[in-house]
Amino acid sequence: MTYDYVNDAKLAGLPAALRQRMQDKAEASKTLPYFVKTKCKSFGQKVLGPFNTLPEAQAAFNEHRDNSDEGASTFHDGKIMQGGKQVLYFSYNGRIWNLDGSIHN
């Protein structure tokens, strides 16, 4: 489901061109590549990516985790970023989670 900025009654007072730019920006953000921010004792902070799909990002996260030879206490969750904002995260076991703590489908 996509949000319709153009026809949202709450935004009716804004110029049509601005509403359309907001809609275009929201749609474009769905196609931005994924990046993964990680932090661990061995490698410090690191950004992995870009990745076109979540499975690609997941494979890279898992490989990075395995190469660190660290456990969950020193290898932090991976932040899945898109368009400069965190959209999801990886737990230590590589599972993808929504920001509200529910499992990502």
Side-chain angles (χ1 to χ4, degrees):
M1 180 177 183
T2 60
Y3 183 77
D4 188 356
Y5 289 92
V6 176
N7 295 312
D8 186 331
K10 294 177 189 173
L11 303 177
L14 296 176
L18 176 58
R19 290 193 323 262
Q20 185 62 54
R21 282 196 308 271
M22 290 169 68
Q23 183 75 41
D24 293 344
K25 186 175 180 181
E27 291 300 316
S29 71
K30 294 177 185 173
T31 61
L32 292 174
Y34 295 101
F35 290 88
V36 179
K37 288 187 177 182
T38 66
K39 182 179 177 185
C40 66
K41 194 174 181 181
S42 303
F43 300 118
Q45 292 184 348
K46 189 169 186 178
V47 177
L48 309 174
F51 306 103
N52 292 320
T53 66
L54 285 173
E56 290 175 1
Q58 189 174 37
F61 175 81
N62 290 338
E63 181 180 357
H64 181 64
R65 178 203 60 220
D66 294 345
N67 289 338
S68 74
D69 290 326
E70 293 186 39
S73 63
T74 57
F75 194 95
H76 299 267
D77 292 343
K79 295 178 181 179
I80 303 171
M81 311 295 289
Q82 195 175 37
K85 295 182 179 180
Q86 183 178 0
V87 294
L88 302 163
Y89 68 95
F90 290 115
S91 56
Y92 178 79
N93 65 1
R95 183 171 282 170
I96 301 171
W97 298 87
N98 296 312
L99 296 180
D100 66 5
S102 61
I103 190 77
H104 182 74
N105 295 329

